[in-house]
């Protein structure tokens, strides 16, 4: 499937609710799952492939674009809603298949409670945290015609993907390394 890129007007439209969940929607889910796998994404929304439906896939897993992503089963979320949010927002780096070669430092709610229909039409209620909550909010924004650069607080929070992997990822990894106590030697 062709992924629309930033600047395409369809990415700025509000998506329509789905009813019923028919064969066309099931085929779209399958195509979205294949696209996210092929493109090393962790989420994709129907509007990104020119389909104005309130549908997205959340599929967190380690891959070349998100090497530290937690693993979860890819989940189709139909007519999703955010029910409640934590007060706390956290900043994290995001990329987007529709905004190629750019990363942005975006504030998102750390914890959210959500409802959606699964691909069988069953109502699901989940509490999402951290990276998976970030994916949900990012994809939900696509349904509202919002892209992650709209959410950054300053242009200083936008970097090229090369700069992200060359400078920011190594800095994040070194800050996660366990620190040694004074006088403690490495290997103890």
């Amino acid at each position: 499937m062709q992924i629309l890129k930033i600047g395409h007007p369809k990415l700025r439209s509000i998506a329509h609710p789905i009813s019923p969940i028919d064969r066309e929607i099931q085929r779209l889910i399958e195509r979205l799952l294949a696209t996210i796998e092929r493109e090393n994404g962790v989420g994709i929304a129907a509007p990104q492939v020119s389909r104005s439906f309130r549908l997205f896939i959340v599929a967190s897993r380690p891959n070349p674009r998100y090497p530290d992503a937690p693993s979860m089963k890819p989940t189709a979320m139909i007519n999703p809603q955010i029910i409640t949010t934590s007060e706390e927002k956290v900043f994290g780096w995001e990329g987007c298949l529709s905004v190629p070669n750019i990363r942005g430092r975006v504030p998102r709610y750390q914890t959210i409670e959500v409802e959606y229909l699964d691909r069988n039409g069953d109502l699901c209620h989940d509490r999402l945290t951290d990276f998976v909550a970030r994916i949900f909010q990012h994809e939900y924004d696509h349904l509202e015609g919002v892209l992650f650069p709209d959410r950054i607080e300053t242009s200083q929070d936008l970097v090229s993907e090369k700069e992200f992997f060359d400078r920011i990822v190594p800095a994040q990894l070194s800050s996660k390394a366990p620190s040694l106590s004074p006088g403690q030697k490495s290997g103890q």
Side-chain angles (χ1 to χ4, degrees):
M1 294 188 91
Q2 181 79 18
I3 297 171
L4 300 180
K5 304 301 185 218
I6 189 169
H8 196 290
K10 287 186 179 181
L11 290 172
R12 296 306 188 161
S13 299
I14 296 176
H16 303 289
I18 293 173
S19 180
I21 302 169
D22 57 17
R23 193 175 305 158
E24 176 189 1
I25 297 300
Q26 295 297 339
R27 283 193 301 266
L28 177 58
I29 290 169
E30 290 304 319
R31 290 194 307 265
L32 288 170
L33 289 166
T35 301
I36 200 171
E37 181 74 25
R38 182 186 73 238
E39 299 294 333
N40 290 313
V42 291
I44 191 168
Q48 290 179 271
V49 295
S50 294
R51 303 302 302 270
S52 185
F53 290 125
R54 295 190 79 75
L55 161 66
F56 56 72
I57 308 292
V58 174
S60 181
R61 71 196 188 293
N63 66 56
R65 291 183 66 236
Y66 295 95
D68 295 330
S71 292
M72 66 173 281
K73 181 181 175 195
T75 304
M77 298 181 174
I78 300 167
N79 299 334
Q81 296 181 55
I82 298 174
I83 305 303
T84 62
T85 64
S86 60
E87 288 186 26
E88 181 181 7
K89 284 188 173 183
V90 292
F91 282 86
W93 290 95
E94 296 182 17
C96 182
L97 298 173
S98 292
V99 186
N101 305 313
I102 299 290
R103 293 289 173 121
R105 193 169 159 267
V106 181
R108 299 279 187 192
Y109 293 105
Q110 177 144 8
T111 303
I112 57 176
E113 288 192 35
V114 302
E115 283 185 352
Y116 58 90
L117 299 175
D118 68 12
R119 68 184 304 170
N120 299 315
D122 296 325
L123 182 63
C124 300
H125 183 92
D126 286 327
R127 181 177 181 269
L128 306 176
T129 60
D130 303 319
F131 189 68
V132 176
R134 177 171 296 281
I135 298 169
F136 186 100
Q137 292 169 83
H138 177 109
E139 300 309 328
Y140 187 85
D141 275 355
H142 278 297
L143 306 184
E144 298 297 317
V146 176
L147 299 174
F148 82 82
D150 303 330
R151 298 269 186 211
I152 63 168
E153 293 187 351
T154 171
S155 61
Q156 301 280 324
D157 288 339
L158 281 177
V159 299
S160 71
E161 197 143 271
K162 180 180 182 337
E163 186 71 10
F164 176 75
F165 283 110
D166 288 353
R167 184 177 58 88
I168 294 169
V169 169
Q172 288 176 335
L173 292 175
S174 68
S175 71
K176 290 181 184 178
S179 60
L180 299 176
S181 306
Q184 183 180 11
K185 294 181 181 172
S186 176
Q188 288 184 326

